[in-house]
């Protein structure tokens, strides 16, 4: 059986499980070995715009590439921003191998005004959501997505879809 080694730029189990699930779905006959690494994002702990969120994911992949050899290097960075339709949370994902890099993005989840105000005041999304829903460490569980969709979607499912979509250039390199 073929093995793929993947370094994930985080030790958060939600991110590692999303990567492992996405790669397992794409390569069902392959043994997937995911290892999480604690690497810096180089952006604020709570990215407040798309540019910082994307850069955080790129920085994490670069840090993984400097640490060890792997078949793929992957990072997911959650962030928030205010768009024409209001504030929302989303994530950027970056996947790289030794030759190329692909960047993807999740869908937006609208944020309640009370949450957005707390973020603008300098708080992080996870603790704000913990407080609003009387939870503990939700960012290592279903995240704001799980809470605001009544568990129909989760942080992990949002990452999973973005990762699968970002893999298109690796699955069909002749087209890219």
């Amino acid at each position: 059986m073929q093995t793929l080694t993947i370094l994930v730029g985080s030790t958060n189990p939600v991110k590692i499980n999303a990567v492992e699930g996405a790669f397992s779905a794409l390569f069902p006959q392959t043994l997937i070995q995911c290892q999480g690494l604690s690497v810096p994002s180089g952006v604020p702990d709570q990215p407040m715009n798309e540019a910082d969120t994307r850069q955080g994911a790129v920085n994490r992949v670069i840090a993984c590439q400097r640490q060890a050899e792997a078949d793929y290097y992957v990072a997911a960075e959650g962030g928030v921003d205010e768009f024409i339709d209001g504030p929302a949370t989303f994530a950027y994902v970056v996947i790289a191998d030794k030759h190329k890099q692909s960047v993807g993005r999740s869908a937006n989840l609208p944020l309640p005004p009370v949450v957005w105000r707390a973020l603008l005041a300098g708080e992080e999304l996870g603790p704000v959501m913990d407080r609003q829903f009387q939870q503990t460490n939700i960012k290592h569980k279903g995240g704001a997505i799980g809470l605001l969709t009544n568990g129909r979607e989760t942080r992990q499912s949002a990452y999973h879809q973005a990762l699968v979509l970002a893999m298109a250039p690796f699955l069909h390199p002749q087209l890219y």
Side-chain angles (χ1 to χ4, degrees), residues 24-147:
S24 292
L26 292 169
F27 303 100
Q29 304 301 319
T30 304
L31 177 63
I32 306 299
Q33 293 184 333
C34 274
Q35 178 185 350
L37 296 175
S38 180
V39 295
S41 68
V43 300
D45 289 340
Q46 178 57 71
M48 293 295 292
N49 58 57
E50 281 193 287
D52 280 353
T53 307
R54 183 185 185 284
Q55 191 60 54
V58 169
N59 291 347
R60 288 180 190 272
V61 162
I62 291 168
C64 285
Q65 289 173 316
R66 292 179 178 152
Q67 294 232 1
E69 288 291 315
D71 295 308
Y72 290 96
Y73 307 88
V74 181
E77 188 77 21
V80 299
D81 206 340
E82 187 163 21
F83 300 97
I84 192 167
D85 295 312
T89 185
F90 54 88
Y92 268 93
V93 299
V94 176
I95 303 169
D97 63 11
K98 293 172 182 66
H99 308 291
K100 67 180 160 212
Q101 172 181 288
S102 178
V103 177
R105 189 183 176 288
S106 74
N108 280 357
L109 172 72
L111 289 173
V114 64
V115 172
W116 182 242
R117 286 190 299 273
L119 297 174
L120 290 174
E123 294 187 63
E124 285 185 53
L125 183 58
V128 172
M129 296 306 294
D130 284 343
R131 187 173 63 247
Q132 292 297 317
F133 285 85
Q134 294 82 47
Q135 297 288 315
T136 302
N137 201 18
I138 195 64
K139 72 181 192 175
H140 286 113
K141 300 174 190 168
I145 296 169
L147 293 173

